[in-house]
Amino acid sequence: MLETIEWTPQGVVMIDQTLLPSKTVFVTCADYLEVANAIKTMIIRGAPAIGVAAAMGVAIGVQKSPDPDADFDNICATLAATRPTAVNLFWGIERMKDLYHSLNGKTPDEKREALIAEAIRVKDEDVAICREIGRHGAGLVPDNKTVLTHCNAGALATAGYGTALGVIRAAWESGKKIDVFADETRPFLQGARLTAWELMQDGIPTTLITDNMAGHFLKSGRIGCVVVGADRIAANGDVANKIGTYSVAVLAKENNVPFYVAAPISTLDLTLTDGSQIPIEERASGEVTSVFGVPVAPDGVNVCNPAFDVTPNRYVTGIITERGVATAPYTESLKALSYSAAHPAKA
Amino acid sequence: MLETIEWTPQGVVMIDQTLLPSKTVFVTCADYLEVANAIKTMIIRGAPAIGVAAAMGVAIGVQKSPDPDADFDNICATLAATRPTAVNLFWGIERMKDLYHSLNGKTPDEKREALIAEAIRVKDEDVAICREIGRHGAGLVPDNKTVLTHCNAGALATAGYGTALGVIRAAWESGKKIDVFADETRPFLQGARLTAWELMQDGIPTTLITDNMAGHFLKSGRIGCVVVGADRIAANGDVANKIGTYSVAVLAKENNVPFYVAAPISTLDLTLTDGSQIPIEERASGEVTSVFGVPVAPDGVNVCNPAFDVTPNRYVTGIITERGVATAPYTESLKALSYSAAHPAKA
């Protein structure tokens, strides 16, 4: 598997996720503005990967700044203004802020070195977290059935291995005979372009469907469970994730299919009592009216393009984190996980 | 509005619905094989329009045949083998068969003339039927709200005016302040390419969304009702329609939004006790893996492409026909409408 994001001497290197799978192009962001732009234009996407990119963006901003103390707030604010929904962005920035402020009195070079090390640590931890999510989730995946997933919560949405796809990978690696149905996930086609591509590379049997087919197959009985990622989870367990997740969750519940959300603890936003407070990004209409530059709708048509929706907690069977699986009532279970040991001993 | 399908001295002329809205191309089918191919490749689509095309296909087959009696069964069988789900195809052919067999003893030219007149009558009746569907349905559309529709059940899916869009047009013409949300309807994009285009031409405010956004907006409270067409309706009111309809119906019910199906009586198939007996067409994978020839998925990915799904009757608030609105229990109400006067007096 190719690296989603890497710290290199030349800058922050990312695989360009807008061009996959037909073109494998790596982008080198030489300063924090280029990192901010890469997040905004979805060269890198996926909540945990955005968290890593934000941390690396802060690090490269400080690295390249002649006067970090003067520039720090602006670097952080610029990165924070890229995308509103995934809380991991703000989590990554906050983590770097906390470290930076703890370095008061150090030289600029000491600060630069510490921030770069921290950004690399954020990335390395993310891979380990995904492995733990997989370990906790694998047992929930029914054997000899199909797993349905929406969007891409895979290696490309994280620093590696994936959250939802981490659960699928761990179930597959444990020997379960599963296959995957991947919603194509219009308008950005993360399912068609990224999830199908990732899983094919791993040799996990994968079938691509359009988003509006998910209900039909959930009704058919072949889907054993749904596993998706998350961009922000409120204190009560309401889940913001890629547009269409809410529909899949309702259709899963209607057909008695378990619906799991796989996400790191950094996706929790316990400052929000429920999902209605999560800001939903509205993206450009061109994502809907054209596909790879080819128009698919009449000129001048009015478009709505909310990039996320909110799934109320009553549709969520469980939230799989690196610290264990939360179930209803979520206000209690998520709080307990949030305050539990950050790095529990492996079972 | 352009004509969907027309009988001309040169043959059966259809607007090529695979190229709309970027190109307006008319195709002339000079024999029944070309009509069959146009149905199969979706140059013409939409259950009522397919019924008209089938009738015209039989007529042109007989017109061009040197020995209609020898060729008739083959003409009908070829047209019947084009698409399995929309029952209007078989209805159109049966209607022509019944007429043909009643012409025993007539000369070939008399038969040709009668079949052509009948095919034109099928078309003219279809427009009148759509107007009646609109008349019966307009009152059901809540004022000052948004109507959600899926796929294209418009003028292009019929001989004119439309079924679901007929209801919307009639509500609009009656002065209701409504607007429309159109699901783009992957993979064939009938919503983006055809519904949005039709409604924009009529000046009815229309917003295009991807299929996976429908749930989000149904939850939002702005959708007053859903209106869709149908490809086949079983005796118990189970409805086969474009893939994704089932999902919309479940999401409508979950959010207490009325879900209406608008279809002519010719869409009823009272020989089937329920929807599980309706054959569902599986179409080519290329419709999913590429958009207008542009690949959107990895080479060689496995694909499912069911073109239709079945919505169980419990999700259907009402079935709007040219003879009135059927409600549950459908086995009784549909049977009653089916045996009621074919051309009721106008109110």
Side-chain angles (χ1 to χ4, degrees), chain A residues 10 15 20 24 83 95 156 211 255 281 311:
Chain A
Q10 291 72 42
I15 191 164
L20 285 173
T24 306
R83 299 194 69 192
R95 179 161 161 173
L156 290 163
D211 301 299
N255 291 286
E281 177 183 13
T311 299

Side-chain angles (χ1 to χ4, degrees), chain B residues 11-26:
Chain B
V12 182
V13 176
M14 305 171 187
I15 191 164
D16 186 342
Q17 300 195 32
T18 67
L19 302 177
L20 287 172
S22 47
K23 290 180 199 156
T24 306
V25 173
F26 289 89

Side-chain angles (χ1 to χ4, degrees), chain A residues 150 183 211-216 218-219 243-255 259 309-312 314-315, chain B residues 148 150 183 209-228 243-260 309-312 314-317:
Chain A
H150 186 72
D183 286 352
D211 301 299
N212 56 20
M213 293 175 192
H216 173 72
L218 282 161
K219 179 154 75 85
I243 188 73
T245 302
Y246 164 69
S247 296
V248 175
V250 169
L251 287 156
K253 181 161 194 170
E254 186 76 5
N255 291 286
F259 178 88
D309 60 25
V310 174
T311 299
R314 66 182 178 277
Y315 301 104
Chain B
L148 174 70
H150 186 71
D183 286 351
I209 58 173
T210 61
D211 300 300
N212 57 19
M213 293 174 190
H216 174 73
F217 289 108
L218 282 161
K219 180 154 75 84
S220 76
R222 73 173 288 170
I223 309 289
C225 71
V226 179
V227 190
V228 298
I243 188 74
T245 301
Y246 164 70
S247 296
V248 175
V250 169
L251 288 155
K253 180 158 196 172
E254 187 75 4
N255 291 286
N256 299 310
V257 176
F259 177 88
Y260 296 108
D309 60 25
V310 174
T311 299
R314 65 182 178 278
Y315 301 104
V316 180
T317 309

Side-chain angles (χ1 to χ4, degrees), chain B:
Chain B
M1 177 59 66
L2 304 161
E3 292 274 1
T4 304
I5 182 166
E6 245 186 322
W7 183 272
T8 75
Q10 290 73 43
V12 182
V13 176
M14 305 171 187
I15 191 164
D16 186 342
Q17 300 195 32
T18 67
L19 302 177
L20 287 172
S22 47
K23 290 180 199 156
T24 306
V25 173
F26 289 89
V27 171
T28 302
C29 299
D31 60 37
Y32 79 93
L33 290 172
E34 289 181 15
V35 173
N37 186 59
I39 297 170
K40 205 170 209 163
T41 60
M42 295 172 70
I43 286 171
I44 191 161
R45 32 62 53 199
I50 287 173
V52 175
M56 289 192 178
V58 175
I60 203 167
V62 168
Q63 184 194 33
K64 296 293 170 76
S65 166
D67 184 353
D69 284 351
D71 292 340
F72 190 75
D73 286 351
N74 185 44
I75 292 166
C76 292
T78 302
L79 288 160
T82 50
R83 298 193 71 192
T85 304
V87 76
N88 316 63
L89 176 79
F90 310 104
W91 169 88
I93 295 168
E94 283 307 310
R95 178 161 161 173
M96 299 301 275
K97 270 188 187 170
D98 289 348
L99 174 64
Y100 191 79
H101 294 136
S102 78
L103 298 171
N104 236 327
K106 303 274 186 187
T107 67
D109 271 350
E110 285 169 333
K111 291 179 180 178
R112 291 185 182 106
E113 203 176 306
L115 262 68
I116 292 168
E118 183 74 357
I120 292 170
R121 200 173 302 123
V122 168
K123 182 200 150 167
D124 292 345
E125 284 176 14
D126 189 65
V127 179
I129 285 167
C130 287
R131 292 266 173 193
E132 284 299 292
I133 290 172
R135 193 173 67 84
H136 286 293
L140 299 172
V141 176
D143 205 357
N144 296 302
K145 296 284 269 184
T146 299
V147 183
L148 174 70
T149 190
H150 186 71
C151 195
N152 173 269
L156 289 163
T158 61
Y161 203 66
T163 51
L165 297 196
V167 170
I168 290 170
R169 287 190 164 100
W172 175 258
E173 289 161 7
S174 78
K176 287 190 177 174
K177 284 176 189 58
I178 55 171
D179 70 314
V180 178
F181 267 40
D183 286 351
E184 68 172 4
T185 319
R186 279 280 288 152
F188 210 69
L189 295 165
Q190 291 95 332
R193 299 190 299 105
L194 310 179
T195 295
W197 182 73
E198 272 195 28
L199 294 174
M200 285 171 78
Q201 289 202 326
D202 281 6
I204 301 175
T206 301
T207 300
L208 176 64
I209 58 173
T210 61
D211 300 300
N212 57 19
M213 293 174 190
H216 174 73
F217 289 108
L218 282 161
K219 180 154 75 84
S220 76
R222 73 173 288 170
I223 309 289
C225 71
V226 179
V227 190
V228 298
D231 289 83
R232 193 184 300 214
I233 301 172
N236 71 338
D238 289 354
V239 175
N241 190 46
K242 180 52 53 194
I243 188 74
T245 301
Y246 164 70
S247 296
V248 175
V250 169
L251 288 155
K253 180 158 196 172
E254 187 75 4
N255 291 286
N256 299 310
V257 176
F259 177 88
Y260 296 108
V261 174
I265 292 290
S266 58
T267 307
L268 300 181
D269 184 353
L270 301 187
T271 68
L272 304 183
T273 51
D274 66 62
S276 68
Q277 299 158 312
I278 300 174
I280 299 296
E281 178 183 13
E282 179 80 20
R283 292 187 61 87
S285 61
E287 289 183 358
V288 173
T289 56
S290 67
V291 175
F292 286 116
V294 179
V296 296
D299 278 347
V301 67
N302 191 38
V303 167
C304 280
N305 187 13
F308 304 93
D309 60 25
V310 174
T311 299
N313 58 16
R314 65 182 178 278
Y315 301 104
V316 180
T317 309
I319 298 175
I320 307 166
T321 76
E322 69 273 30
R323 299 185 195 164
V325 181
T327 55
Y330 288 104
T331 306
E332 285 74 35
S333 60
L334 291 177
K335 195 191 282 179
L337 282 183
S338 172
Y339 291 109
S340 70
H343 299 285
K346 295 207 177 188

Side-chain angles (χ1 to χ4, degrees), chain A residues 117-132:
Chain A
E118 183 75 357
I120 292 170
R121 201 173 301 121
V122 167
K123 183 199 150 167
D124 293 343
E125 284 177 13
D126 188 65
V127 180
I129 286 167
C130 287
R131 293 265 174 195
E132 284 299 291

Side-chain angles (χ1 to χ4, degrees), chain A residues 313-337:
Chain A
N313 58 15
R314 66 182 178 277
Y315 301 104
V316 180
T317 310
I319 297 175
I320 307 165
T321 77
E322 69 273 30
R323 297 184 196 164
V325 181
T327 54
Y330 288 103
T331 306
E332 285 73 34
S333 61
L334 290 178
K335 195 190 281 177
L337 283 183

